């Protein structure tokens, strides 16, 4: 990886994760942590803060939550950037809500630990339902607290890594048709009780964005699941 790929100009020096800085310190100081950036004949870019931020860096697990927070504080959070932020395993929780607004699910939600679930409820309570997307089990007491909040509408898809114990919790929620479709598929994949599939179907029917195709397709999925579990029927 060379400097100019990320920060403009014609610098051919190598950069490395997580600072993505070169020996001349051409990376923006607000991201790399260094002081004033270097110059030299190899670097011809304009003021670094004017350069589009390389979104692929945000997906690097070595780029910390603090570094991301510092970086995005200097940027306009447009749709493309927010969708890229959703892929970051270290996305700051106070950005979860903005990411969801562009119909993207934060990848970090797939790995939330119990302390992080508590932190999410305190940091962004309207989207605290994302705790149930985790591969860790959500404690019952915490889930009761989450459901007592005014929650934003849930969006899909339910990640394939979701903890099977959380499927029951997700059935308590109401979201867009994509969420309910993915929930039914997750129930089927995990061989969860068929009652959960029926609950997910009811949730889809009550969605404010549902149409006749959504209902027909979800009904077919649930019927196929019932037949799969009970071949004699």
């Amino acid at each position: 990886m060379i400097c100019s790929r990320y920060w403009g100009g014609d610098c051919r020096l190598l950069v490395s994760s997580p600072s993505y800085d070169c020996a001349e310190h051409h990376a923006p100081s607000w991201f790399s942590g260094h002081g004033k950036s270097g110059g030299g004949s190899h670097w011809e870019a304009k003021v670094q803060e004017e350069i589009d931020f390389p979104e692929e860096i945000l997906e690097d697990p070595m780029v910390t939550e603090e570094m991301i927070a510092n970086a995005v504080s200097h940027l306009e959070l447009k749709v493309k950037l927010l969708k890229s932020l959703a892929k970051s395993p270290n996305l700051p929780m106070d950005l979860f809500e903005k990411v969801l607004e562009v119909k993207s699910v934060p990848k970090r939600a797939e790995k939330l630990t119990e302390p992080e679930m508590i932190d999410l409820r305190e940091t962004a309570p309207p989207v605290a339902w994302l705790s149930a997307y985790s591969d860790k089990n959500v404690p019952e007491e915490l889930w009761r607290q989450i459901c007592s909040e005014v929650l934003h509408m849930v969006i899909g898809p339910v990640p394939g890594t979701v903890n099977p114990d959380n499927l029951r919790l997700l059935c308590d929620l109401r979201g867009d048709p994509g969420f309910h479709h993915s929930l039914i598929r997750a129930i089927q994949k995990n061989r969860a009780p068929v009652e959960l599939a029926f609950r997910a179907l009811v949730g889809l029917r009550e969605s404010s964005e549902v149409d006749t195709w959504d209902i027909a397709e979800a009904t077919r999925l649930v019927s196929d699941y019932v037949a799969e579990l009970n071949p004699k029927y």
Side-chain angles (χ1 to χ4, degrees), residues 43-226:
W43 195 68
E44 299 174 355
K46 296 181 180 179
V47 178
Q48 292 166 329
E49 282 75 1
E50 296 177 359
I51 302 172
D52 288 337
F53 190 80
E55 298 170 16
E56 63 190 89
I57 292 178
L58 299 173
E59 300 176 28
D60 186 341
M62 296 296 293
V63 175
T64 67
E65 184 174 345
E66 181 181 7
M67 292 172 73
I68 294 173
N70 288 337
V72 300
S73 69
H74 292 75
L75 303 169
E76 183 180 354
L77 295 178
K78 297 181 179 179
V79 172
K80 183 180 178 182
L81 177 57
L82 287 169
K83 287 184 177 293
S84 180
L85 281 167
K87 302 173 185 176
S88 172
N90 294 317
L91 178 69
M93 289 185 183
D94 59 2
L95 292 174
F96 276 26
E97 193 167 351
K98 289 187 177 296
V99 165
L100 286 165
E101 288 174 358
V102 297
K103 299 292 185 181
S104 294
V105 178
K107 185 171 182 61
R108 184 178 178 184
E110 299 178 11
K111 300 289 183 181
L112 290 176
T113 62
E114 186 174 331
E116 289 173 327
M117 294 175 191
I118 295 171
D119 189 25
L120 177 60
R121 179 182 171 269
E122 296 173 350
T123 304
V127 298
W129 52 263
L130 279 167
S131 293
Y133 273 31
S134 176
D135 60 0
K136 314 295 190 304
N137 177 253
V138 182
E140 289 286 348
E141 177 59 30
L142 176 60
W143 189 250
R144 284 194 294 270
Q145 295 173 15
I146 289 172
C147 289
S148 69
E149 306 283 351
V150 177
L151 305 177
H152 281 194
M153 184 175 72
V154 183
I155 66 170
V158 175
T161 55
V162 67
N163 189 308
D165 291 338
N166 293 339
L167 295 174
R168 175 178 54 83
L169 308 180
L170 290 169
C171 286
D172 292 337
L173 304 177
R174 294 295 177 266
D176 65 359
F179 161 70
H180 293 289
H181 278 294
S182 67
L183 178 56
I184 291 171
R185 292 188 182 279
I187 290 167
Q188 185 175 18
K189 175 185 175 182
N190 286 279
R191 310 290 290 182
V194 70
E195 291 79 6
L196 296 186
F198 284 116
R199 286 176 59 190
L201 179 57
V202 169
L204 180 136
R205 288 175 177 272
E206 295 179 354
S207 172
S208 60
E209 300 181 359
V210 73
D211 59 28
T212 54
W213 181 90
D214 291 320
I215 294 174
E217 177 64 12
T219 301
R220 182 190 65 78
L221 289 174
V222 174
S223 296
D224 289 348
Y225 187 43
V226 171

